[in-house]
Structure formats: C-alpha cells, structure tokens
Amino acid sequence: MDVFNGFLSVAVHVVVAVLLVFYLPISWICKLIVSVFVKPFTKEDVRGKVVLITGASSGIGEELAYQYATRGASLALVARREHALREVAKIALRKGSPDVLVIKADVSNQSECKRIIDETIAHFAQLNHLAVNAGILSSSLFEEISNISAFRQVMDVNFWGAIWTTYYAIPHLKNSHGNIIVTSSIAGHVPTARMSFYNASKAALIRFYETLRSELGSDVKITILTPGYVASEITKGKFLQKGGEIEVSKEVRDVQVGVLPVGYTDKFAKVVVDSACHGDEYVTWPSWYKPFHAVMFFAPEIVDWYSRTFYLTKPGVDSSNALSRRILQATGAEKFLYPYSIRSPDNKLKDIREIQKK
C-alpha cells in the first residue's frame, strides 16, 4: 500500500498538470465566447417573479431589494427589525415592485426559517430567487474572547440561517428552476486575523453551496458572492465584541478595514442581480480581489504575514494601535476610501432620504 501511495503521489501530480495545461486554455476560450456571444442574449427577466431576501433591512440586502424592485420582481423581505423593513418595502414599491411582503423573523432559529418560506409561498404561491444574505461579523482575537458561547450566533446566523432557509425553499425553487444567491465573503477564501469565527462561517457557506450545486445540477442555479468590504452596518463598525455584545465601534472598524477601499453597496447589488440573472456561479467584487485566491493557494504564508503585520499588536498593547488603523489615521485616507454613508453610525436616516430622492 505504501508503494502504491508513493506511485500515486507522483502520477497524480503529473496527470493533473498535463490536464490543466490543455484544459485551462480551452476553458478560458469557451468562457470568453459565452460571455461575448451567449450571455447578452440569455439574461433572465425577473418581472413578475418572486424574490426572497434575508437580512433585507440594511446594507447589501436592502440594495438587492431595490435592484430587484426596479426590474419588476415581487419581494419577500426578511429581517429582525420590522420598522426598518417597512421603510425598505415602501421604497421598493416606489421603485417598481408590484408587491412586497414584510416578514419579521430571526434566521438563527430553524422554525423561523420554515415560517419564512411558508409565509412567502402562502402569499405568492411561488419562489424564484432566494438571497440568503443575513449575517453578523465578529472582530476579536480568539484568546481575548471572554464569552465564547456568545460566538455561536455567528455560525447560527451566517451559516445555519442560510442552510435552514435553503432547506425549506429547495422544493419551490426546483419547481421554478430558480436561483439561490449566497452572500459569502472574500474572507471565506482569504482569512485575516481577528475574524476567526466570521471567516469560518463564510468558508463553510462556500463549501456547502458548491457541494449543493453539484447535487442539484441544473434544477437550481447557485450564485456565490465573495465581495470585499462594501458599505453596510458592518463597515460602519457593528461587530460582535469579545465580551459577547454587539456594538458599533469606529475604532474596531478602522483596525479591521484599515486602508482597504469600501465599495458602494448599490453598485455591488446591481452587479449581483445582473450576474444572478445571467446564471453566473461566482461573483467576486471588486474584481481586484480575485488574485488573492491564488495567493492563498500558492503562498499562504504571505496572507499570514499580512494578518500579523497589519492587524495584531504586541502583548499588552491596545488593539486600536494596530498598524492598519495607524496608517489610516496618518494618511487621512478614510475620506477617500470610505463612502460618506459609513463614516458615521447616524447616517442611516440620511441614506434613506437620499434614496427616496432618486
């Protein structure tokens, strides 16, 4: 057996290398042909179709609602904050959605996820797109966590909230040959320090839905989103802290985001809906994040060096003195790299008013 494994260790590397040499150029050419000559003529029309979005009260989920609304889709909007949901629903109706159902629910509860699907089907009698988007972000060094049990909610919301909702939605999505849009993160591919639980939850989403894609085949399309930082409550600094409390901390945000640019959520949402309607399997946005997949695969030590250098401080030194934040403060780059909407936690109402004017 040892001899056989030794033979395979050599043979498999050679065979795979040869296959890739021939396969990759052909694959790239085929993808280019499809993107130029096929995709422009095969875009799905969602007018009159039903889209369910979790985490729809703010951020990516809110903007997805507006994008689908402008295309004439009916919406089922899900979040824990009913008042904020109703504000989003009003704007979505004005933007062109023929009908909007508001569902107050907590996706970290399995029975609530079933109720979400049941209420959507009872109201619309169909489901075409499911956007599992609800999520929370944690930011703390693992060894500094003082309430470890509180961090279960990261997996409960980010991972299980998506999986439970998907489980109950699949029969209806198969009937409509629908689409699942999964909000993961570039952190699921390229993990950085201080976000161990968040990174794990997003990596789990990617692997789960890649597996589900192979199981469902052509019955249900799956579009996996791996964005960088985009304007949302998370990039305003809303994190699960080391003590188990969820708070808004500009200092924690500045450490975690640092001098990485934060994209506009409405632009990202437009890219997402366009991609979903074209049946794309992955969306990485902005596109300059894509090469980091290769860096993580071929040179993970570079990612480790980056994490330790920019996000960690020496023992006993306040984490707010991390190099990422010091560079941000020294350069004043926040006003160039961060959209106005996330520079102050109090800008949500202003954002809604700006959208209403459009």
Side-chain angles (χ1 to χ4, degrees):
M1 184 61 72
D2 289 341
V3 174
F4 186 59
N5 281 327
F7 168 75
L8 288 178
S9 296
V10 176
V12 170
H13 281 80
V14 173
V15 171
V16 170
V18 171
L19 284 174
L20 290 179
V21 166
F22 289 97
Y23 169 77
L24 288 179
I26 296 172
S27 173
W28 290 334
I29 292 171
C30 290
K31 289 178 180 178
L32 178 61
I33 293 173
V34 169
S35 65
V36 174
F37 297 105
V38 178
K39 280 189 176 180
F41 307 101
T42 58
K43 185 176 180 180
E44 179 184 0
D45 183 2
V46 295
R47 185 173 303 277
K49 294 186 177 181
V50 177
V51 180
L52 190 156
I53 305 170
T54 66
S57 60
S58 65
I60 294 172
E62 177 181 355
E63 291 296 338
L64 287 177
Y66 301 149
Q67 285 296 324
Y68 275 111
T70 60
R71 299 163 197 240
S74 294
L75 303 173
L77 305 180
V78 180
R80 291 179 296 179
R81 294 172 298 179
E82 186 175 3
H83 177 73
L85 270 184
R86 295 199 178 280
E87 290 297 321
V88 174
K90 290 178 183 177
I91 298 171
L93 288 168
R94 285 199 291 270
K95 286 181 174 289
S97 179
D99 190 8
V100 181
L101 174 66
V102 169
I103 305 175
K104 179 183 178 182
D106 181 356
V107 297
S108 66
N109 185 308
Q110 183 178 356
S111 62
E112 292 278 276
C113 294
K114 183 178 185 302
R115 179 174 64 82
I116 290 167
I117 302 302
D118 290 343
E119 290 190 12
T120 300
I121 297 303
H123 186 85
F124 294 109
Q126 67 181 49
L127 178 61
N128 302 93
H129 283 209
L130 168 65
V132 283
N133 168 76
I136 59 175
L137 192 150
S138 59
S139 179
S140 173
L141 295 177
F142 180 69
E143 61 183 331
E144 291 183 352
I145 294 173
S146 58
N147 182 8
I148 189 70
S149 61
F151 283 73
R152 290 185 58 182
Q153 62 186 300
V154 178
M155 290 299 293
D156 286 345
V157 174
N158 295 5
F159 180 73
W160 284 110
I163 273 58
W164 284 326
T165 307
T166 298
Y167 177 76
Y168 295 112
I170 280 179
H172 309 289
L173 291 171
K174 290 179 74 173
N175 286 339
S176 64
H177 292 283
N179 197 337
I180 303 172
I181 297 93
V182 184
T183 303
S184 182
S185 168
I186 192 66
H189 288 302
V190 187
T192 52
R194 305 180 56 84
M195 300 196 300
S196 54
F197 287 93
Y198 180 80
N199 295 339
S201 69
K202 294 302 183 179
L205 280 176
I206 294 170
R207 290 295 174 259
F208 176 86
Y209 282 98
E210 286 175 336
T211 305
L212 187 63
R213 180 189 289 140
S214 66
E215 293 181 4
L216 294 175
S218 60
D219 288 343
V220 179
K221 298 185 292 291
I222 297 178
T223 303
I224 299 174
L225 316 179
T226 54
Y229 288 113
V230 296
S232 66
E233 290 188 339
I234 287 175
T235 46
K236 286 180 181 179
K238 186 177 181 180
F239 297 102
L240 177 63
Q241 309 286 341
K242 60 186 177 182
E245 66 282 354
I246 295 179
E247 295 180 350
V248 175
S249 171
K250 183 178 180 296
E251 290 74 21
V252 173
R253 187 275 307 276
D254 290 350
V255 170
Q256 202 65 64
V257 180
V259 292
L260 293 176
V262 178
Y264 288 93
T265 319
D266 57 343
K267 293 182 179 179
F268 175 56
K270 184 179 186 305
V271 170
V272 169
V273 178
D274 284 341
S275 297
C277 290
H278 282 302
D280 292 346
E281 294 186 343
Y282 297 95
V283 177
T284 297
W285 188 88
S287 60
W288 61 264
Y289 278 98
K290 290 181 180 180
F292 291 102
H293 296 200
V295 173
M296 186 61 197
F297 183 80
F298 291 106
E301 62 275 8
I302 293 178
V303 177
D304 181 63
W305 169 85
Y306 172 80
S307 286
R308 298 181 65 81
T309 302
F310 285 87
Y311 297 115
L312 302 185
T313 56
K314 295 179 180 179
V317 177
D318 188 349
S319 62
S320 64
N321 289 315
L323 181 59
S324 57
R325 184 166 184 261
R326 286 192 282 119
I327 293 175
L328 185 70
Q329 291 181 313
T331 59
E334 179 181 348
K335 59 185 177 181
F336 302 109
L337 298 176
Y338 296 178
Y340 171 76
S341 62
I342 69 167
R343 293 183 211 160
S344 168
D346 300 324
N347 284 334
K348 174 66 175 176
L349 182 58
K350 296 178 183 177
D351 293 344
I352 291 177
R353 288 172 178 168
E354 288 176 3
I355 293 169
Q356 289 173 332
K357 292 177 183 177
K358 293 181 182 180

